[in-house]
Amino acid sequence: MRLFHLFFVLFTLLAFSRCIDDDSDKCPIDIENNFILKFRYVSDKPEELFIKKIKKVDVFVFKESGQYVTTQSADLTALTSFAGISLNLDPGNYRIVCWGNATGKTFISPMSANSLMKDAYISHVSLRDGTAAINGDTLYYALDNLTFPSSLKATTSETVIERVLNFHNAYIKMHIYVKGLTDKDSQGNLLAPIIEMTGVTGSYNFDMQSFGNTVRYLNTSAYENILGERIAKVTFHTLRFKDDNPIEIKIKKSSDGSTLTAISLKDFMKENNITVEGIEEAIVPILVEYKDASIKISVPEWEQTPIDPEL
């Protein structure tokens, strides 16, 4: 009898290890659930990038009327073994909203039995704390409308409904470089500049429409060796914005906090033929170069050609 139980345990462990290593279609299905939702993200390239880009997913299910039904989350461990979730749903029409990578910098409005999708939102935690944001999460979003007919109420795996849900990028990456700025502390040590960015809307509703108050981003840059030169850099992840935006970027001295340069992002993008609208992995690179008595604001040469979104 002990040998039988030992064989059964080993067989089960082997089956699940194959589920992780092999194609997800071979994974065992929990037949208590009647709906399997698989996740996918391909970006601007014909390559599956979901597990490379998205490390956590929060799934929210609403009735067609907008009434909240349930929530389920999957962390990196769960997503690595299977890029999806399973749910048990009653017959009816549903709207399913998924947020990817909503972690430490993102607040999701609490849900209850009386919650409605039209009132649900996510926002940057700095708006609740009343503080400046150092950065934001690399958010992704997906929406699906589902009809679950009563004839397919599952009792076995043969009647489980499967759908593939495509995620979309819900953030923009800002790369801000500063070159040639001399700012030192009382001991003569070179100080990296502070970068401030204002005017970025900090909330989405569950249709991924931005609204509400703006976030103030503020962080001290760090020096990097770029093309053999020492250049300060900061990266901000923001909610998506339009080409015609009110965003302003300021370069400040670390020694006394004074503003050296203010940049209208809208004007910079227009002058340099940069658009973020309709671009899945949108990146806006800005180089502020101080030389003698002049200031040059341009697109850095190392980012003037298409780059790998992972960089």
Side-chain angles (χ1 to χ4, degrees), residues 175-183 190-196 221-224 226 229-234 249-253 260-261 263 286-290 295-296 300 302:
H175 285 171
I176 303 166
Y177 303 88
V178 180
K179 177 181 176 182
L181 175 62
T182 301
D183 183 30
L190 186 65
L191 299 174
I194 296 171
I195 312 298
E196 180 184 46
S221 58
Y223 281 107
E224 296 183 4
I226 301 175
E229 297 187 271
R230 197 180 188 194
I231 299 175
K233 176 188 176 184
V234 73
I249 298 168
K250 293 180 179 179
I251 313 301
K252 297 172 172 277
K253 295 174 67 175
L260 297 173
T261 306
I263 304 165
I286 303 174
L287 171 63
V288 183
E289 185 174 2
Y290 296 89
I295 302 172
K296 181 182 178 181
W302 54 89

Side-chain angles (χ1 to χ4, degrees), residues 50-308:
F50 177 83
I51 203 62
K52 294 181 181 179
K53 295 286 187 176
I54 301 176
K55 311 303 181 185
K56 178 179 180 289
V57 173
D58 294 289
V59 180
F60 300 87
V61 181
F62 300 87
K63 292 182 179 179
E64 187 180 38
S65 61
Q67 184 179 1
Y68 170 71
V69 177
T70 188
T71 300
Q72 186 167 318
S73 299
D75 60 15
L76 179 59
T77 301
L79 294 172
T80 301
S81 62
F82 175 60
I85 62 162
S86 62
L87 293 165
N88 187 35
L89 299 177
D90 293 327
N93 297 323
Y94 298 93
R95 300 195 76 191
I96 298 174
V97 175
C98 299
W99 293 105
N101 294 343
T103 54
K105 303 177 184 68
T106 303
F107 171 79
I108 302 177
S109 61
M111 303 288 176
S112 69
N114 297 321
S115 296
L116 297 175
M117 180 174 165
K118 69 180 183 64
D119 300 322
Y121 66 92
I122 69 169
S123 64
H124 197 289
V125 293
S126 66
L127 294 179
R128 292 174 56 80
D129 300 338
T131 59
I134 296 176
N135 208 341
D137 286 328
T138 57
L139 292 171
Y140 291 82
Y141 173 81
L143 172 67
D144 192 21
N145 295 311
L146 169 71
T147 297
F148 203 99
S150 57
S151 60
L152 291 180
K153 179 66 177 176
T155 55
T156 67
S157 60
E158 283 73 20
T159 53
V160 170
I161 290 179
E162 284 192 8
R163 289 177 78 92
V164 176
L165 190 56
N166 292 316
F167 276 77
H168 296 281
N169 187 294
Y171 77 101
I172 291 174
K173 182 181 294 186
M174 301 289 302
H175 285 171
I176 303 166
Y177 303 88
V178 180
K179 177 181 176 182
L181 175 62
T182 301
D183 183 30
K184 298 182 178 181
D185 62 17
S186 57
Q187 285 74 43
N189 299 309
L190 186 65
L191 299 174
I194 296 171
I195 312 298
E196 180 184 46
M197 183 164 64
T198 57
V200 183
T201 304
S203 302
Y204 280 137
N205 62 23
F206 269 40
D207 286 312
M208 209 190 108
Q209 298 167 332
S210 58
F211 74 95
N213 294 331
T214 60
V215 174
R216 175 178 176 242
Y217 289 82
L218 187 69
N219 200 4
T220 302
S221 58
Y223 281 107
E224 296 183 4
N225 189 316
I226 301 175
L227 300 181
E229 297 187 271
R230 197 180 188 194
I231 299 175
K233 176 188 176 184
V234 73
T235 296
F236 292 133
H237 301 134
T238 76
L239 299 194
R240 296 197 72 97
F241 51 79
K242 295 184 177 181
D243 295 345
D244 185 6
N245 62 74
I247 298 172
E248 184 177 55
I249 298 168
K250 293 180 179 179
I251 313 301
K252 297 172 172 277
K253 295 174 67 175
S254 287
S255 57
D256 58 14
S258 61
T259 297
L260 297 173
T261 306
I263 304 165
S264 164
L265 183 59
K266 175 182 69 175
D267 293 344
F268 173 81
M269 291 173 62
K270 184 177 181 179
E271 292 167 3
N272 291 276
N273 297 315
I274 296 174
T275 182
V276 294
E277 297 179 26
I279 307 298
E280 188 69 27
E281 296 282 344
I283 301 174
V284 180
I286 303 174
L287 171 63
V288 183
E289 185 174 2
Y290 296 89
K291 188 175 182 181
D292 299 327
S294 65
I295 302 172
K296 181 182 178 181
I297 304 171
S298 62
V299 177
E301 61 178 294
W302 54 89
E303 293 206 29
Q304 289 180 1
T305 56
I307 61 175
D308 189 329

